[in-house]
Amino acid sequence: MKVLFTGRGGKAGSWQMRGLQMAEMRPDWRAVANCTLADLRDTDVAVITKRISDDSLAEIKKWGGKIVYDPLDFWHQPNDAVGISSPEEVQLKFSKHFKNINANLTLACNEKMKHDLAPMCRRVEILHHHYDPKLKAAKYNAGRTIVYWGHPRYLGEWADKMSNVCSRLKYDFKINPKDITDCRAMFAIRAGAYGSWLDRRWKSCVKGAAALRIGVPFIAWPETSYVEACGQNLFAFTDEDSLYHATKAALAGRFEQPPSSKLSIEHLANVFEKQLESI
């Protein structure tokens, strides 16, 4: 099956991972940002990743083939999430957006997102987020480091709170070190405006997937995707006190955990291929 991944392109992780990296998994899959009618020639399925320009969407409609929409991170953050605190408000805000694309299949990154999308879309299936294929297993000689991997703006006041917890437990807290595998555990949070109802319900498990791949405990707010995908590897917290206890529990476990491949790009490409074959 010949598949074209398209969208606005750029450096955003959603395009890099769900577009460019996924397109590399099959000989007949390719990625072209801002596709034209010529790009779509001999294509069986067009996969729209995150956002698409009006011009490219018009070209896809002219082409007339099957469309898959992967809306991961499509909303403008944090502003689009303001005032949303229920599935009904989600549908009121975004129904026009999804109906305009009118995909044969829309992808969700967890069960709650699938539930929210269902009234707006023709068909919804779950495709979890894969970890970066370049990640390797943890270097256990680090021993006493907990790592945050991501944009520092999402940490807010939790950078200081986690630093205090690590100091109490005699660990170091590092933000975006050169080698994130050089750690004993990983930490994640979306603070302030980035910790909205929508963000914690619709964001992917990419940081949790990284922890599973590296083979270390994952200390994080219990976002929907983390709870669903990470299982017992998630040590959840909802305030500063529970952060301390979650971190202590994470560090009390077996030091070396076997890296998991359940969120590998190889496995999820197989899942996606079956989804494509069914539309």
Side-chain angles (χ1 to χ4, degrees):
M1 180 179 290
K2 295 179 180 180
V3 180
L4 177 70
F5 293 80
T6 192
R8 288 186 179 273
K11 296 181 179 180
S14 50
W15 171 247
Q16 295 293 318
M17 298 183 76
R18 303 278 277 205
L20 298 179
Q21 289 181 4
M22 190 63 79
E24 293 176 352
M25 298 309 297
R26 297 291 186 273
D28 287 336
W29 295 4
R30 60 196 176 98
V32 178
N34 302 304
C35 73
T36 65
L37 196 58
D39 296 318
L40 292 157
R41 190 175 294 117
D42 298 325
T43 296
D44 296 310
V45 180
V47 180
I48 298 171
T49 303
K50 189 176 180 176
R51 299 187 195 118
I52 191 165
S53 68
D54 291 340
D55 288 344
S56 287
L57 182 58
E59 294 284 88
I60 291 173
K61 295 296 180 69
K62 287 180 188 176
W63 164 69
K66 293 180 179 178
I67 301 172
V68 173
Y69 182 31
D70 184 0
L72 184 70
D73 286 348
F74 79 93
W75 66 98
H76 295 278
Q77 301 162 43
N79 293 341
D80 276 355
V82 174
I84 294 178
S85 59
S86 72
E88 293 74 21
E89 289 169 338
V90 165
Q91 291 148 17
L92 186 64
K93 177 82 173 181
F94 298 122
S95 180
K96 183 178 179 181
H97 172 81
F98 285 95
K99 291 185 184 303
N100 185 44
I101 292 175
N102 193 29
N104 298 83
L105 171 65
T106 301
L107 301 177
C109 62
N110 60 57
E111 286 285 355
K112 288 184 179 178
M113 185 178 183
K114 179 180 179 180
H115 170 271
D116 298 343
L117 290 174
M120 301 184 284
C121 303
R122 293 159 68 179
R123 177 183 165 197
V124 185
E125 297 290 346
I126 294 172
L127 185 67
H128 291 299
H129 203 303
H130 64 271
Y131 54 73
D132 190 328
K134 297 187 293 293
L135 288 176
K136 306 298 182 184
K139 297 177 180 178
Y140 293 105
N141 59 351
R144 307 200 73 81
T145 301
I146 296 175
V147 162
Y148 170 80
W149 181 42
H151 202 297
R153 70 185 175 196
Y154 299 133
L155 285 168
E157 72 276 13
W158 289 94
D160 289 338
K161 291 178 180 180
M162 189 56 175
S163 293
N164 292 337
V165 166
C166 287
S167 294
R168 289 173 65 187
L169 295 170
K170 296 182 169 44
Y171 274 75
D172 296 323
F173 178 51
K174 295 183 179 180
I175 299 172
N176 294 327
K178 185 175 181 180
D179 183 0
I180 67 165
T181 69
D182 199 14
C183 69
R184 176 66 179 85
M186 292 187 72
F187 169 74
I189 181 69
R190 298 183 214 280
Y194 294 98
S196 69
W197 182 92
L198 184 64
D199 291 308
R200 289 173 174 168
R201 190 173 174 96
W202 276 22
K203 293 287 272 186
S204 79
C205 63
V206 65
K207 291 182 175 64
L212 285 170
R213 168 65 187 113
I214 293 169
V216 296
F218 185 51
I219 305 159
W221 195 277
E223 296 182 10
T224 300
S225 288
Y226 294 157
V227 172
E228 187 172 304
C230 298
Q232 294 182 344
N233 201 53
L234 172 64
F235 293 82
F237 67 92
T238 54
D239 54 34
E240 193 167 2
D241 184 59
S242 60
L243 173 61
Y244 172 79
H245 292 289
T247 304
K248 187 175 180 180
L251 300 174
R254 183 163 60 90
F255 190 65
E256 294 192 24
Q257 300 185 46
S260 171
S261 61
K262 75 175 186 176
L263 295 177
S264 69
I265 192 170
E266 292 82 5
H267 172 67
L268 292 171
N270 291 337
V271 172
F272 187 44
E273 187 171 44
K274 290 179 181 178
Q275 291 171 336
L276 291 173
E277 291 170 350
S278 69
I279 62 175

